[in-house]
Amino acid sequence: MASWAAFEPVLLNLADSEDYALLTAALYDYASKLEHDAADEDERVAYNGPGVPSSDGPRLREAAKRVRAMIDDIERQLDANSAARREVGEGS
């Protein structure tokens, strides 16, 4: 992936479960596409043998790993928010 200037953290409003479903489905689809493209790259290199440009597979797999880490981070944050809301509700 290209290297861009870092962005500040953002807060997504995922209060609507449909928004959460759309976001995570898109991220899962993108990670799967990256992994599929990586496998295609490996196959291309194996088929063409020595002397062909090296596979872009490792970079694509690393990008897919980062996308899946974003999904995990979203889920951790949502779980933490839910737990905090329950604590506040129980303390009232």
Side-chain angles (χ1 to χ4, degrees):
M1 295 216 157
S3 220
W4 297 306
F7 293 98
E8 293 297 318
V10 297
L11 178 64
L12 297 175
N13 181 353
L14 298 177
D16 183 329
S17 62
E18 182 72 16
D19 292 344
Y20 167 77
L22 289 169
L23 177 66
T24 56
L27 289 171
Y28 278 118
D29 285 350
Y30 186 55
S32 293
K33 181 191 179 316
L34 289 168
E35 290 163 344
H36 179 76
D37 290 350
D40 285 350
E41 271 294 292
D42 293 344
E43 195 172 301
R44 176 190 62 82
V45 170
Y47 178 79
N48 290 312
V52 298
S54 62
S55 175
D56 208 19
R59 183 190 64 79
L60 294 168
R61 279 190 193 81
E62 181 59 30
K65 184 178 170 183
R66 291 179 66 195
V67 171
R68 291 189 187 284
M70 284 187 256
I71 296 167
D72 292 344
D73 193 37
I74 290 167
E75 290 176 354
R76 270 192 303 280
Q77 290 180 41
L78 289 173
D79 289 344
N81 287 348
S82 293
R85 285 194 178 105
R86 281 193 301 273
E87 266 184 42
V88 169
E90 291 172 5
S92 298

